[in-house]
Amino acid sequence: QAKRGGRNQVCFFDPQVQGRLKARAQLEIDLRQALGRGELAVAYQRQVDARGGTVGAEALLRWRHPQRGKVPPAEFIPIAEQTRLIVELGEWVLEMACRQLVAWAEVPTTAGWTVSVNVSPVQFRESRFVDQVQAVLTRTGAAPSRLKLEVTESLLIHDPDEVRARMIALKALGVRLSLDDFGTGYSSLAYLRRLPLDQIKIDQCFVRELLEDQASAAIVETIISLSASLKLEVIAEGVETAAQQHCLASRGCQFYQGFLYGRPEASIAL
Ligand code: C2E
Ligand code: MG
Ligand code: MG
Ligand code: MG
């Protein structure tokens, strides 16, 4: 017994590991209170068409911690997912984004803009998710056709038929569906054909390597032509340079998002 335990025992007294666990536990406690304390905000990052005109924006959650300052989503979204807090936070982002949509709809120059909202797989799989979306649309008066829900391929590792059924229910509300970070997950082309998607987002890792790496360029080209064949809208994310934009444009990319056009901001300047 003692012999068996000896070698595989995890050392819980490593001060570094313990320090990290403590910091994470504290972050979780703080995140639970962040919404009520007004520490959360939604930033919007512009999306443009081939001529550079703004067509909408992606809503991105921001957390300003009273002591730690800005905490990146890559750090707090996983905690929110593990604790299921993301269900509450996600609904809040959705509501904020829909209110923004209504505000844009009232101004002629922004009336046609869309808003994209990230939906965590944890949130998507909640049985009341479709009702939640419907309730927010009703509450805010936002036009469903201008709301894009961004989901990721990681959804599909669970029950593809269930995911498909839920997507169909969402489409029945009139909202649009976008597949975020495309090409990085379990992208099964068979599912792509069966899902009622409206848009594919080319992941920023391919855009970043576009000009240096032939394989990335080939993947981007393939995603763009695949989107065209499946009659899906295609948007590239993480566009930082004009050279990347030109390369994407020459391959027929329709829409663009990235630091080249604007950072995520509290409000988008006209
Ligand atoms: P994402 O949905 O793929 O969002 C795009 C991320 O790329 C954002 O990071 C954005 O700031 C960043 N980005 C945009 N343009 C560029 C660029 O040109 N260069 C580079 N290097 N980065 C660029 P952010 O805001 O840190 O968010 C990271 C991820 O956190 C998001 O990736 C999304 O998966 C998640 N996230 C953010 N807000 C929410 C939310 O409200 N709900 C959920 N479930 N997830 C969210
Ligand atoms: Mg996204
Ligand atoms: Mg993305
Ligand atoms: Mg991403």
Side-chain angles (χ1 to χ4, degrees):
Q1 181 65 60
K3 212 176 178 182
R4 226 196 317 155
R7 223 179 242 167
N8 297 326
Q9 235 164 30
V10 182
C11 178
F12 288 109
F13 306 107
D14 180 331
Q16 249 196 327
V17 171
Q18 231 187 4
R20 245 181 283 137
L21 285 174
K22 226 177 117 187
R24 210 217 94 122
Q26 187 58 50
L27 211 57
E28 183 181 324
I29 292 167
D30 294 347
L31 187 56
R32 281 187 196 284
Q33 297 171 328
L35 191 56
R37 291 182 174 170
E39 295 166 12
L40 299 182
V42 178
Y44 296 89
Q45 186 180 32
R46 182 191 303 279
Q47 297 177 333
V48 305
D49 63 18
R51 295 189 328 259
T54 302
V55 293
E58 177 174 8
L60 294 157
L61 187 55
R62 294 291 177 260
W63 180 18
R64 189 180 283 278
H65 188 281
Q67 284 88 40
R68 300 187 35 179
K70 293 177 189 168
V71 184
E75 207 170 316
F76 72 81
I77 295 286
I79 297 175
E81 288 177 328
Q82 282 152 25
T83 56
R84 307 192 65 83
L85 257 175
I86 195 67
V87 175
E88 191 191 329
L89 300 184
E91 185 175 14
W92 183 77
V93 174
L94 186 64
E95 170 128 17
M96 296 297 282
C98 284
R99 282 197 224 163
Q100 181 59 258
L101 206 48
V102 171
W104 286 336
E106 285 164 357
V107 181
T109 41
T110 58
W113 289 10
T114 60
V115 75
S116 297
V117 177
N118 293 284
V119 177
S120 157
V122 175
Q123 204 185 344
F124 187 94
R125 284 201 300 275
E126 275 272 297
S127 56
R128 59 197 170 91
F129 180 63
V130 179
D131 293 339
Q132 219 176 51
V133 174
Q134 172 66 80
V136 171
L137 287 168
T138 306
R139 213 152 58 218
T140 58
S145 65
R146 300 225 168 81
L147 173 63
K148 293 182 183 179
L149 299 178
E150 293 194 0
V151 297
T152 56
E153 299 157 282
S154 63
L155 258 186
L156 300 169
I157 59 171
H158 291 277
D159 185 345
D161 288 329
E162 215 170 282
V163 168
R164 181 167 178 270
R166 186 146 302 173
M167 284 185 171
I168 290 169
L170 287 165
K171 289 290 297 178
L173 301 181
V175 306
R176 297 198 246 166
L177 299 175
S178 176
L179 195 55
D180 203 354
D181 305 336
F182 185 73
T184 57
Y186 291 81
S187 8
S188 162
L189 299 181
Y191 288 132
L192 206 56
R193 179 176 56 92
R194 290 185 63 228
L195 298 174
L197 295 167
D198 299 281
Q199 183 186 66
I200 289 181
K201 288 190 96 166
I202 304 172
D203 191 75
Q204 43 186 283
C205 70
F206 304 119
V207 175
R208 194 184 311 125
E209 310 266 280
L210 188 58
L211 300 164
E212 293 89 44
D213 175 34
Q214 284 202 349
S216 293
I219 290 170
V220 165
E221 205 163 311
T222 304
I223 297 174
I224 292 171
S225 63
L226 182 70
S227 305
S229 321
L230 296 174
K231 300 198 166 49
L232 300 174
E233 218 177 84
V234 65
I235 179 165
E237 64 179 353
V239 183
E240 293 184 354
T241 68
Q244 288 169 340
Q245 180 194 271
H246 290 143
C247 184
L248 288 158
S250 72
R251 285 166 167 81
C253 187
Q254 294 174 289
F255 300 101
Y256 306 80
Q257 183 183 338
F259 295 165
L260 180 62
Y261 317 99
R263 302 243 166 193
E265 313 267 15
S267 73
I268 293 184
L270 283 178

